[in-house]
Amino acid sequence: MLNRVILIGRLTRDPELRYTPSGVAVTQFTLAVDRPFTAQGGEREADFIPIVTWRQLAETCANYLRKGRLTAVEGRIQVRNYENNEGKRVYVTEVIADNVRFLESNRDNNGGAAPREESPFGGGSGGGNRGNSSGYSRNNQDPFSDEGKPIDISDDDLPF
């Protein structure tokens, strides 16, 4: 049996961080995911899928995610039910995320006005470029950008 889901969409609002009575962090947010087709009027429809994260991932999502940010979520679908105040049984379907990737940096979403946040997940373009106008950090420079010129490496640096 397999219960696995991968979604890419935009947050409809800022995540809500709460703590259980035992102190475990839980964050809830909704992801708007476009459908792969357009409606009769030519408009694109979307599904609004509730996402739940727990523990350290919940705190990280609450700190870094904001409304409108493009985000990838990987997890499993869970259906739970409870009895509401009127005595009716209510069913809730949600995705319990175990992996969240930030696909946009803060700069991408605000037109370059704010400094880029460091993403703790390293997903997408969320980290590593702070303060470097070339688009690459020192650690991420293309080692083959010298257009075929020999690379100066001493024999002591070679692993073999």
Side-chain angles (χ1 to χ4, degrees), residues 84-138:
N84 68 7
N85 296 340
E86 300 168 357
K88 291 181 85 175
R89 177 86 31 211
V90 178
Y91 290 88
V92 179
T93 303
E94 54 201 2
V95 173
I96 308 301
D98 52 38
N99 191 2
V100 174
R101 298 280 178 177
F102 307 146
L103 301 180
E104 281 183 328
S105 70
N106 195 29
R107 177 182 295 164
D108 293 340
N109 211 24
N110 293 334
R116 178 168 282 181
E117 293 176 354
E118 291 287 337
S119 169
F121 297 116
S125 59
N129 293 354
R130 192 177 294 202
N132 189 338
S133 62
S134 69
Y136 290 101
S137 71
R138 184 181 314 195

Side-chain angles (χ1 to χ4, degrees), residues 28 52 78-82 90-94:
Q28 295 179 314
V52 178
Q78 175 177 290
V79 179
R80 60 183 173 88
N81 64 72
Y82 63 92
V90 178
Y91 290 88
V92 179
T93 303
E94 54 201 2

Side-chain angles (χ1 to χ4, degrees), residues 11 15 27 29 53 56-66 100 102 121:
L11 272 72
T27 300
F29 56 91
T53 59
Q56 180 63 45
L57 181 58
E59 292 176 342
T60 302
C61 287
N63 289 334
Y64 289 96
L65 288 178
R66 295 291 171 257
V100 174
F102 307 146
F121 297 116

